[in-house]
Amino acid sequence: AEVSFAPKRNRRPPENKDQNHYLDILNFGNPFDFLTGGSSAANSEKDKEMLPVSFPQQPTKMLAAVLSDYGPASNLDVKYVDTPHSLGGKLGPMEVLVRIHAASVNQIDCKTRKGTLSSLCPVTLPVILGIDFSGIVLRAGSETSFGEGDEVFGRQSMDRIREQSGGTYAEYAIVDARDIHRKPQSISHREAAAVPQACLAALAALCRVGGLPARA
């Protein structure tokens, strides 16, 4: 089966009565801090410079787990979809094209799928979810410190999932270089993919609630 991501449709998500509870626990003033683990990358003027996006053998399709409607995990369908692309089909200087080797499932993924966080961070259906990942760089923007073949792990932002190239439940993803790091050789891709969002959420709690200096 194949699916096209245009045109998309909006559907009113299930009524949510408890999403503010999760924000109150960590005392976040800005609800999006919860979704980003208290960390976000700012855009710069240099992001307007672009590089062509290229794939090995130029595949036009990839396998991805696609959410067609809010609800249980059974609403995720693995199917062929278009490969990700940036605006104009080009990479920005701080963007990185990654082949995903492993992706993990965390609470934000589950709550987004169910529609629990829909009023804070709505998605347009169908959508490819997935925040955490580990993989190999295929192409890197001119302002990044990464190169082809680098093993990296990190996270995809909710903004990019909603508005641009989709999440990490897929064979490929375009991510912001400021949200990834080189993978230690001592851990596997599966182990690395389990780290990013959980680690950032724990750090945010220690900083916001426990008073740990943010740069400690």
Side-chain angles (χ1 to χ4, degrees):
E2 294 186 2
V3 62
S4 172
F5 285 87
K8 294 187 177 183
R9 62 189 178 87
N10 289 300
R11 187 183 76 78
R12 186 177 183 83
E15 182 181 359
N16 172 40
K17 299 179 180 179
D18 64 349
Q19 63 187 3
N20 289 333
H21 167 71
Y22 302 105
L23 304 178
D24 292 339
I25 290 175
L26 296 182
N27 193 30
F28 286 139
N30 180 352
F32 284 98
D33 285 344
F34 178 76
L35 297 177
T36 61
S39 173
S40 62
N43 292 326
S44 70
E45 289 298 315
K46 291 183 178 180
D47 287 355
K48 297 178 181 178
E49 302 171 12
M50 299 292 202
L51 287 174
V53 177
S54 63
F55 291 90
Q57 288 88 47
Q58 299 294 321
T60 59
K61 298 289 183 179
M62 66 177 180
L63 283 173
V66 179
L67 180 69
S68 57
D69 202 358
Y70 292 113
S74 59
N75 284 2
L76 290 167
D77 294 321
V78 177
K79 57 183 70 178
Y80 283 101
V81 302
D82 295 336
T83 50
H85 59 277
S86 289
L87 295 177
K90 297 174 181 283
L91 281 179
M94 291 302 295
E95 288 186 320
V96 178
L97 171 65
V98 178
R99 182 180 179 93
I100 306 296
H101 279 235
S104 63
V105 180
N106 58 54
Q107 284 295 310
I108 293 180
D109 296 322
C110 295
K111 295 182 189 305
T112 302
R113 169 177 53 76
K114 295 176 182 177
T116 306
L117 298 176
S118 56
S119 65
L120 297 176
C121 192
V123 296
T124 304
L125 303 170
V127 65
I128 301 171
L129 298 179
I131 296 175
D132 298 335
F133 74 93
S134 182
I136 295 179
V137 173
L138 296 182
R139 186 75 186 272
S142 60
E143 298 294 328
T144 76
S145 60
F146 302 100
E148 182 179 351
D150 286 347
E151 293 188 334
V152 297
F153 73 112
R155 55 185 292 279
Q156 180 71 296
S157 71
M158 289 300 298
D159 283 344
R160 297 183 73 87
I161 291 174
R162 290 185 301 152
E163 301 170 4
Q164 298 186 39
S165 55
T168 60
Y169 295 173
E171 291 185 281
Y172 300 95
I174 297 175
V175 301
D176 192 306
R178 291 159 289 199
D179 287 330
I180 65 175
H181 295 274
R182 286 179 172 80
K183 183 183 74 66
Q185 293 298 312
S186 58
I187 61 176
S188 67
H189 282 292
R190 288 187 177 184
E191 292 168 328
V195 172
Q197 189 66 19
C199 178
L200 285 173
L203 177 60
L206 290 172
C207 294
R208 300 296 179 88
V209 180
L212 181 73
R215 296 297 180 183

